[in-house]
Amino acid sequence: MHTIKTVLLLGVLTGLFLVVGKILGGQTGMVIAFVFAMAMNFFAYWFSDKLALKMYGAREISYEEAPWLHDMVEQLARNAGIPKPKVYLAPIDVPNAFATGRNPKNAVVAVTSGILNILSPEELRGVLAHEIAHIKNRDILISSIAATIGGAISMLAEMAFWSSLFGGRDEEDNSIGGIVGSLLLFILAPIAAMLIQMAVSRSREYAADATGAEICRCPLSLAKALEKLEMAANQLAPVAEREVNPGTAHMMIVNPLRGSAIASLFSTHPPTEERIRRLYELARKYGQV
């Protein structure tokens, strides 16, 4: 169901792109905007992993430093049927973890110093299983596609607005109605694209929870880890504001940045309470509770 939902959402996002392109009307402008968005996201797809790791001063952990951690990652990767990802440590106090890399052969699992201090080995195993699930499900590729189309929609909407403001294709484009319509498109199209992108991201988080539970074969481990991480995120909100770049918050297993109730509606993460509830349902199916 999560895969079907993701495909449908990407289809809606593509449809929105075509609608905006049709309103803009210029085939050349549409192609240029799309190519520009593709170029930006091509760079992000190939280099975002290095940028994210460098942003947090993360370094690769050798096997000699933490053999237990490497063995845990290797076992989970074997369960998932993918190559063992590299293991990195981000020296920040905020307890969290993330996965990056353009495909399973070039993947990285990163943990923060903070998460190693608060989770038990079994809870950490659940978290690592979730991140390996992201790699297995190729969520980085899916998010790149969504970002490409969403970025193109925003550019097309902006082009339509400025075109109508400073000389459209005909008199109808230059009328007050045409300008107002372009203004609404300029405001609403990117918001619609953002909402669809967030829906894709939330769907992939649920899918990673379910896949991660299968990989570690213990949904309760991940559920208990999420409980601790959510509590820590609330307690360490001021620290997270200093240590976490908002542009990378969507990569984390739990959103470390706290905001208002309205801001939570636009979060790339689903409610942690709902994720925990679903994991407990899985545990009941497995006869673990």
Side-chain angles (χ1 to χ4, degrees):
M1 282 302 298
H2 291 300
T3 301
I4 294 172
K5 183 179 178 181
T6 299
V7 171
L8 288 175
L9 288 169
L10 288 174
V12 171
L13 197 58
T14 303
L16 180 59
F17 168 76
L18 295 175
V19 168
V20 174
K22 184 177 180 180
I23 293 174
L24 180 61
Q27 288 286 341
T28 302
M30 183 174 66
V31 171
I32 291 174
F34 187 67
V35 168
F36 188 60
M38 285 286 289
M40 287 194 306
N41 286 282
F42 175 83
F43 176 84
Y45 178 67
W46 282 88
F47 300 106
S48 61
D49 55 340
K50 296 179 179 63
L51 291 175
L53 293 169
K54 187 174 182 179
M55 192 177 296
Y56 291 109
R59 64 176 182 85
E60 187 172 1
I61 305 173
S62 67
Y63 182 85
E64 290 71 24
E65 288 180 89
W68 63 273
L69 184 58
H70 276 270
D71 290 342
M72 187 182 292
V73 171
E74 184 172 10
Q75 181 188 25
L76 292 170
R78 191 183 305 117
N79 292 348
I82 64 171
K84 175 179 174 289
K86 295 179 180 178
V87 183
Y88 273 66
L89 174 68
I92 62 176
D93 295 326
V94 174
N96 229 304
F98 62 91
T100 186
R102 58 187 180 275
N103 55 48
K105 291 183 179 179
N106 298 276
V108 169
V109 170
V111 295
T112 68
S113 301
I115 202 171
L116 297 180
N117 292 331
I118 71 168
L119 296 188
S120 69
E122 195 59 30
E123 291 164 348
L124 182 62
R125 190 167 179 270
V127 168
L128 292 172
H130 171 96
E131 298 306 331
I132 287 174
H134 273 309
I135 298 169
K136 177 182 174 67
N137 296 341
R138 295 182 180 269
D139 288 334
I140 298 168
L141 175 60
I142 292 171
S143 63
S144 295
I145 294 172
T148 298
I149 303 173
I153 288 171
S154 297
M155 287 184 216
L156 286 176
E158 186 173 356
M159 288 173 61
F161 172 68
W162 292 113
S163 175
S164 65
L165 196 63
F166 293 108
R169 297 182 304 279
D170 50 41
E171 293 182 0
E172 183 180 350
D173 289 330
N174 291 323
S175 67
I176 296 297
I179 293 175
V180 171
S182 295
L183 178 60
L184 289 175
L185 179 68
F186 177 62
I187 296 172
L188 297 179
I191 292 175
M194 180 185 67
L195 290 174
I196 296 171
Q197 286 177 264
M198 288 191 302
V200 170
S201 180
R202 291 186 178 200
S203 179
R204 301 321 301 166
E205 285 300 318
Y206 283 133
D209 284 344
T211 304
E214 293 178 3
I215 291 172
C216 71
R217 302 183 180 126
C218 185
L220 289 182
S221 297
L222 179 54
K224 291 176 180 177
L226 289 177
E227 289 175 350
K228 284 187 178 181
L229 293 175
E230 181 67 15
M231 186 182 301
N234 290 323
Q235 293 173 346
L236 298 176
V239 178
E241 290 178 3
R242 296 194 306 269
E243 294 187 339
V244 177
N245 186 303
T248 62
H250 68 283
M251 298 172 60
M252 307 290 188
I253 187 170
V254 169
N255 190 345
L257 302 176
R258 305 286 100 169
S260 64
I262 294 177
S264 66
L265 295 176
F266 296 92
S267 174
T268 54
H269 290 67
T272 304
E273 295 80 6
E274 175 61 17
R275 294 171 66 185
I276 293 170
R277 186 190 68 78
R278 294 188 182 200
L279 287 166
Y280 269 90
E281 282 188 1
L282 282 176
R284 278 191 285 271
K285 290 181 181 179
Y286 293 162
Q288 296 178 354
V289 290

